[in-house]
Amino acid sequence: MQKIHHRTLLPLSLMATLLVSGCQAAPSPAQVQASEVAAQDHVSGLTPRAAAESFYEALVAEILVHEGDAGSSYELMLRAAQTRQQEDLFKRAMQTAYMMGDGNRALRAAKAWNEALPQSRDANKAVLQVLVGLNQIPQSQWHLRQELRFATDEEMEENLYAIPLVYQRAPDKAVVLQVVKAALVDQLAEQSVWRGDALAVLGRIELQKGDQAAALELLRQAYAANAQASGAAFLALELYARGETQAGALLHTYAVSEKANPQFLVSYARLLVAQQHEDQALKVLERVTAAHQDMADPWLALAAVHVNKGQFADARAALDVFDRLVDGLNNPELQMRGADESLVLRAQMADNEGHSDQAQSLLEQVSEPTLLMRVQVQRAQTKAQLGQLDEARALIRSIPAPSEEVERLKQRAEVQLLRDAGQTQDALALLGQLIKKDPDDDDLVYEYALMAERLGNVKEMEAQLRRIIARSPGHFHALNALGYSYADRGVRLAEARKLIQKALSFEPKNPYVLDSMGWLEFRSGNLEEARTTLEQAYEIDPDAEIAAHLGEVMWAQGEHEQARGIWRQGLRNNAKSETLRMTIERLDGKASVLLHSSPALVDPVPKQQGTAP
């Protein structure tokens, strides 16, 4: 059964963390004072009666929200905001709308704010934020362009970088591309100093859209416009991480330049770590921390590399600097997040030194529940890999659960732990208990179906997938999984085609659905169609299972060396893929050199100076 990726729309309450506002510097005291004076001027222009009434409305609104009447609170707060024309009251009205989960009310408040104070950058960003969250993408164009007009030269680089993040959860990337391109008309102009960064924005959206070839072409254009554009470097980084080796030369050229963006260098170092080139990553991070001693993030990344290399004294020294810098921030949320990350690394070192109690004590100080869960699950997985499954399960069960959602995540983590440990029957039983509590959860039922197939219960798998499809006809994961199962077993191929075609109607560029269609064509004897479709899937995502299928089609066409080349690349990406290894063993034999050679990693970035791709 294939690996499936789920996508969800970004909650409105989280969209603010991705907006360009997060890239701006904190306002100066003079700016704050000017804002307060402006707010006072608005209020001072009211009659005494109007000022008193609006003050009373704001006060009652606060009382009502605490009493649970958020709807009435919202209306009073918005009316007070419009009367007094105070930004903090408009923000409070929006917060109340978010608390209710009411995007339309949030949009109404944001628009009222923007109309009352058209020169307010925060008001413009608020409208942009809500429009994107509500997936009203065409309407966001003017506000995005306006935000770029507000931006200073010092802010522009990071604002441009943030744009693909703002729109990353929008489902129709073709519309996003059209809107963003129109909003960037000034930055895309031939004479603009920002042309390289703006072209890179379009390239990153093309990547989100699944068109790697278009993204590579935009990278070339961005590089030609400005070889020192950090946006082009970030695009090259994303392409290279997806296996596009042509981006490697540009990466190295930019990384060794004196003007390289420090945040890019941190991301570049993390890519090197992912490819197990830790010594190179260490040199990059040491260079960044030497040149930018007051930036916190590089110190955390440096500490993480030292931890991975077992250099705990150096790691603790880097964390001490990081902690000091984080303590000096004026943002409580960033302070808390930084403290949590530091605690996690210190706990990891304590664990590695055999001090489990100390590690547990450190982790108990982590304030973010999702981060704590992630770390504890990782610790549990390590224990399970060492054969300590009971201790691993106990560790997951000990994680605090401040909400039902966290408790549910704990149980799903335990299911995964059992599944990975080969205890599929126990995992299925625990998953069944979760479904009894929430029988309409399609994701749980979907996971149950795949697990049933793993145990050989194909009838149960088929029944559960059909149950999902009947309830949620647009659940393309279930459509794809059932169609692939039929294709893989060589049964009901006509129905398999209908199922996969319907899945493709929802996700035409999804590499795993394309893989299913390619495999169906192979099972139907259509080798040319199979190869074309599988090559398309593999270009989007060089997944090991897609490599197995594409290589088998090449093998069937008599192109054995080409097949081995694809399999070799697949092993580089995932040397443990059971499907790929079984395919190689079946066709190339158990003695195949591919199975017995050390799994290669993605080739490191070349050390010599490169040229544009």
Side-chain angles (χ1 to χ4, degrees):
M1 187 60 66
Q2 289 173 293
K3 174 174 65 178
I4 305 294
H5 292 250
H6 295 271
R7 297 193 312 175
T8 56
L9 289 176
L10 188 68
L12 282 172
S13 58
L14 297 182
M15 181 64 72
T17 63
L18 294 178
L19 282 174
V20 282
S21 58
C23 300
Q24 298 168 40
S28 67
Q31 289 173 314
V32 173
Q33 186 177 10
S35 176
E36 290 172 349
V37 169
Q40 291 168 3
D41 286 345
H42 285 303
V43 178
S44 63
L46 300 175
T47 65
R49 178 176 179 177
E53 286 179 350
S54 62
F55 175 79
Y56 178 75
E57 286 174 339
L59 180 62
V60 172
E62 290 290 356
I63 295 172
L64 287 172
V65 77
H66 287 295
E67 291 182 350
D69 189 355
S72 298
S73 172
Y74 166 84
E75 296 297 340
L76 284 171
M77 189 67 73
L78 181 55
R79 191 160 63 196
Q82 290 173 306
T83 301
R84 300 172 75 88
Q85 295 194 13
Q86 284 185 240
E87 301 211 54
D88 60 333
L89 295 182
F90 282 112
K91 290 177 183 178
R92 191 73 183 95
M94 289 188 65
Q95 289 169 356
T96 304
Y98 284 141
M99 186 176 65
M100 293 186 290
D102 193 332
N104 289 323
R105 280 181 168 173
L107 181 59
R108 178 181 155 207
K111 285 184 173 180
W113 181 7
N114 193 221
E115 290 168 5
L117 302 170
Q119 298 306 313
S120 167
R121 186 174 180 181
D122 284 344
N124 181 69
K125 284 197 292 278
V127 180
L128 173 62
Q129 163 189 338
V130 185
L131 286 171
V132 175
L134 292 175
N135 197 31
Q136 296 181 21
I137 304 303
Q139 295 90 323
S140 72
Q141 177 182 316
W142 186 90
H143 296 280
L144 176 59
R145 189 175 183 188
Q146 186 73 350
E147 166 58 25
L148 293 171
R149 287 171 177 156
F150 277 127
T152 64
D153 285 345
E154 290 75 18
E155 296 168 336
M156 185 62 76
E157 182 179 20
E158 292 189 14
N159 276 21
L160 290 171
Y161 175 79
I163 290 173
L165 302 179
V166 172
Y167 289 93
Q168 66 181 344
R169 296 302 181 99
D172 193 336
K173 291 299 188 297
V175 172
V176 170
L177 194 64
Q178 181 180 4
V179 165
V180 171
K181 189 173 183 179
L184 290 174
V185 62
D186 294 331
Q187 291 74 26
L188 287 168
E190 290 289 342
Q191 69 276 14
S192 172
V193 296
W194 299 109
R195 178 171 168 78
D197 290 277
L199 287 165
V201 170
L202 302 182
R204 288 170 60 208
I205 296 173
E206 288 285 9
L207 269 185
Q208 293 176 355
K209 192 160 68 78
D211 194 338
Q212 192 160 311
L216 182 60
E217 175 55 32
L218 282 163
L219 173 62
R220 293 191 179 105
Q221 294 178 29
Y223 184 85
N226 182 3
Q228 292 301 313
S230 66
F234 277 110
L235 174 57
L237 193 68
E238 288 193 41
L239 280 163
Y240 189 74
R242 296 184 183 214
E244 185 53 72
T245 55
Q246 293 183 62
L250 172 56
L251 271 184
H252 181 69
T253 300
Y254 182 81
V256 298
S257 68
E258 292 183 0
K259 296 183 179 180
N261 181 295
Q263 288 296 345
F264 163 82
L265 291 175
V266 173
S267 299
Y268 175 69
R270 286 173 175 149
L271 174 65
L272 292 173
V273 169
Q275 297 175 340
Q276 298 188 7
H277 303 309
E278 291 182 339
D279 289 338
Q280 288 176 255
L282 202 58
K283 291 178 180 178
V284 171
L285 291 170
E286 286 172 345
R287 170 189 160 198
V288 179
T289 51
H292 305 276
Q293 296 182 17
D294 292 335
M295 285 185 64
D297 195 36
W299 288 102
L300 181 66
L302 179 63
V305 175
H306 281 310
V307 170
N308 288 344
K309 292 175 68 67
Q311 300 167 345
F312 295 159
D314 290 334
R316 289 188 172 99
L319 283 177
D320 288 343
V321 178
F322 173 76
D323 290 346
R324 175 176 57 78
L325 292 172
V326 167
D327 286 342
L329 296 175
N330 292 323
N331 187 320
E333 183 180 348
L334 291 179
Q335 283 183 321
M336 183 177 68
R337 190 184 309 164
D340 284 350
E341 294 286 357
S342 179
L343 286 167
V344 166
L345 283 178
R346 293 181 188 277
Q348 185 178 340
M349 288 187 282
D351 248 344
N352 290 342
E353 291 170 332
H355 306 309
S356 296
D357 291 342
Q358 182 185 352
Q360 183 64 29
S361 175
L362 288 165
L363 290 173
E364 286 172 356
Q365 300 174 51
V366 173
S367 55
E368 172 54 46
T370 54
L371 175 62
L372 177 60
M373 168 163 284
R374 175 171 61 81
V375 174
Q376 293 288 53
V377 168
Q378 289 174 345
R379 294 180 73 209
Q381 289 171 338
T382 300
K383 287 182 178 294
Q385 290 168 1
L386 295 173
Q388 302 169 6
L389 185 58
D390 291 340
E391 292 91 334
R393 297 179 71 180
L395 184 58
I396 287 180
R397 291 175 180 177
S398 71
I399 299 172
S403 66
E404 290 185 9
E405 178 61 22
V406 175
E407 181 62 35
R408 183 166 174 253
L409 289 172
K410 283 174 55 178
Q411 292 174 318
R412 295 194 71 167
E414 189 173 354
V415 168
Q416 181 180 343
L417 198 70
L418 290 166
R419 184 186 62 203
D420 293 345
Q423 305 292 324
T424 311
Q425 192 66 58
D426 291 340
L428 192 68
L430 182 56
L431 196 55
Q433 294 175 21
L434 290 174
I435 292 174
K436 284 182 180 179
K437 296 177 184 177
D438 194 357
D440 294 331
D441 188 320
D442 288 340
D443 289 339
L444 286 178
V445 177
Y446 177 76
E447 189 174 352
Y448 185 91
L450 300 191
M451 209 171 291
E453 186 197 33
R454 184 174 294 188
L455 287 171
N457 193 342
V458 178
K459 287 186 178 180
E460 179 68 10
M461 177 272 296
E462 183 176 340
Q464 295 299 337
L465 290 178
R466 289 193 180 281
R467 174 184 165 194
I468 296 172
I469 294 168
R471 183 169 57 215
S472 305
H475 198 292
F476 75 89
H477 296 297
L479 292 163
N480 180 51
L482 185 56
Y484 176 82
S485 177
Y486 287 151
D488 194 44
R489 289 180 284 136
V491 301
R492 305 175 74 162
L493 296 183
E495 184 177 357
R497 186 173 297 276
K498 291 180 181 178
L499 290 163
I500 298 170
Q501 284 176 340
K502 189 171 182 181
L504 280 172
S505 71
F506 294 109
E507 288 281 323
K509 295 292 186 180
N510 187 294
Y512 307 106
V513 184
L514 287 168
D515 176 60
S516 296
M517 179 57 76
W519 197 235
L520 171 64
E521 296 290 7
F522 176 68
R523 291 297 197 189
S524 303
N526 305 321
L527 296 186
E528 289 300 327
E529 292 86 344
R531 180 163 178 170
T532 299
T533 306
L534 288 169
E535 285 176 339
Q536 183 182 356
Y538 191 74
E539 182 178 356
I540 297 171
D541 186 352
D543 178 77
E545 186 163 336
I546 300 175
H549 294 159
L550 177 56
E552 183 156 352
V553 172
M554 291 175 170
W555 193 277
Q557 292 176 317
E559 299 179 16
H560 293 185
E561 285 307 313
Q562 290 89 332
R564 291 188 182 102
I566 289 292
W567 291 335
R568 186 176 293 108
Q569 292 174 17
L571 288 171
R572 287 178 178 176
N573 294 331
N574 183 3
K576 296 181 179 180
S577 170
E578 184 179 346
T579 299
L580 178 53
R581 297 187 76 86
M582 288 177 64
T583 300
I584 295 171
E585 181 177 316
R586 174 165 49 83
L587 297 176
D588 205 24
K590 293 183 179 180
S592 172
V593 68
L594 295 175
L595 297 175
H596 299 284
S597 59
S598 298
L601 299 165
V602 177
D603 295 334
V605 177
K607 294 184 179 180
Q608 71 277 6
Q609 289 283 342
T611 57

